Amino acid sequence: MQHPRLGEARRHYLDCFLRLYDGEPFLVRLLIESGRFSLYHLALVLEAAQDPARRESWLTIGLLKKWLGTLGMASGRHVDHLVGRLLEVGYLASAPSPHDGRVRILSLTEKARAHDRAWLAAHYAPLELLYPEHDYTDVLRPTAEFQVLHRRTSLGFAALGARLMLSEPHMLLFMNHAAGYPVLAALLQAALRADERHATVGYSDIGDRFGVSHTQVRKLLVAAEDRGLLKLHARGGQKVEILPELWASHDRGIAGGMYYHDVVFVATMNAAGALRG
């Protein structure tokens, strides 16, 4: 939180994140809500970490339920629904285990992996800005092999990631709503570009960008206003004032995220070095 370029890194992160999801309402509706994202992310990690010789490590719906329950992130019924949706749209595949045909093993498709590579690059971009003396090339442009190693390594930090995500309840307000964080990111970006603490953005404009209704956006912003995070001005609340607590909470959130990502990156590079012998 004390880095002199944190404000610049915040701006860069928002730009990178919004380039990934802006104008992609399908991706936003599919993944941008804490339960959906947690399942997708955990599936990537568990698949990378599984060992065919260890039945308990196989990527099954049961294993996802166990992990998400341990991390306090989703109910069993919610997991069934989310897995079904990811299967339906081609982000997950399901097939009988070659070792036991009674068990169905889940796997991530190339579509899901490609999005994960772009997501990793967006989330490591601010670290490259803050610490140009460090070489993040491997994760900014990851090969398939490095992506698997990174995700396998991150399993050991799953509890840390969950704690950091749950530590900012104001951010969870947005993350627990469909398209909630993209809505916030768009408002913060608009305020920064205007060089002021106000963002004049119509609800319908934000809804169209991320595939959510005017009503959903308004409900989210009213809930944030009730918490003292922002203030709605002008007719219909079209002018949004970002209050200091929201800026501070967002900065704490991205600082925690960068800390987590850097810890995982260092561990991944150490693992890569060990594999090279």
Side-chain angles (χ1 to χ4, degrees):
M1 289 290 290
Q2 302 302 318
H3 197 288
R5 300 185 72 187
L6 181 61
E8 190 178 349
R10 173 218 285 154
R11 184 189 295 266
H12 190 47
Y13 171 69
L14 291 170
D15 289 346
C16 291
F17 177 87
L18 287 169
R19 275 198 296 271
L20 185 58
Y21 289 107
D22 219 341
E24 295 286 350
F26 169 78
L27 274 179
V28 172
R29 290 195 302 270
L30 180 67
L31 297 175
I32 305 301
E33 180 270 324
S34 59
R36 297 175 188 177
F37 175 76
S38 296
L39 184 142
Y40 160 73
H41 182 268
L42 188 60
L44 284 159
V45 170
L46 292 175
E47 181 186 49
Q50 69 184 338
D51 177 353
R54 295 173 52 239
R55 184 188 185 98
E56 69 275 13
S57 74
W58 296 351
L59 179 56
T60 63
I61 291 181
L63 186 63
L64 281 171
K65 288 180 178 179
K66 177 182 176 182
W67 269 93
L68 287 167
T70 299
L71 297 173
M73 290 185 174
S75 68
R77 183 178 299 178
H78 197 197
V79 171
D80 288 332
H81 171 74
L82 295 178
V83 167
R85 180 61 177 148
L86 290 169
L87 288 167
E88 180 184 346
V89 300
Y91 269 61
L92 279 178
S94 174
S97 166
H99 305 284
D100 185 344
R102 298 167 299 175
V103 179
R104 297 198 69 83
I105 304 295
L106 299 172
S107 60
L108 279 298
T109 64
E110 178 52 30
K111 186 191 300 187
R113 296 177 193 280
H115 176 70
D116 182 52
R117 289 192 290 273
W119 187 93
L120 284 170
H123 284 74
Y124 276 91
L127 277 167
E128 183 185 41
L129 187 152
L130 291 179
Y131 303 105
E133 68 275 18
H134 298 169
D135 186 1
Y136 293 102
T137 302
D138 286 334
V139 73
L140 288 168
R141 291 178 287 280
T143 63
E145 293 76 16
F146 187 87
Q147 180 185 18
V148 169
L149 181 59
H150 183 281
R151 288 313 190 191
R152 182 187 307 143
T153 303
S154 68
L155 182 62
F157 300 93
L160 171 63
R163 285 199 305 273
L164 288 169
M165 187 171 75
L166 296 173
S167 69
E168 280 299 324
H170 295 328
M171 288 300 97
L172 285 175
L173 170 67
F174 292 93
M175 294 169 66
N176 287 339
H177 283 73
Y181 184 74
V183 167
L184 173 61
L187 289 170
L188 295 178
Q189 184 189 63
L192 290 169
R193 286 180 174 176
D195 196 25
E196 58 180 49
R197 289 311 194 223
H198 293 77
T200 307
V201 183
Y203 293 152
S204 58
D205 295 336
I206 296 179
D208 290 344
R209 287 170 69 179
F210 304 118
V212 292
S213 70
H214 173 285
T215 300
Q216 286 176 291
V217 175
R218 179 169 178 77
K219 282 183 177 179
L220 173 59
L221 298 184
V222 167
E225 185 176 38
D226 290 343
R227 285 200 187 189
L229 302 176
L230 52 82
K231 193 167 182 60
L232 302 177
H233 299 279
R235 185 176 179 180
Q238 293 282 336
K239 193 168 188 179
V240 181
E241 179 184 0
I242 311 297
L243 297 179
E245 179 54 29
L246 183 50
W247 286 108
S249 180
H250 185 265
D251 282 353
R252 289 193 298 269
I254 62 170
M258 286 190 289
Y259 167 74
Y260 166 80
H261 291 306
D262 205 39
V263 166
V264 174
F265 177 74
V266 170
T268 304
M269 295 303 289
N270 288 339
L275 287 175
R276 288 194 293 268

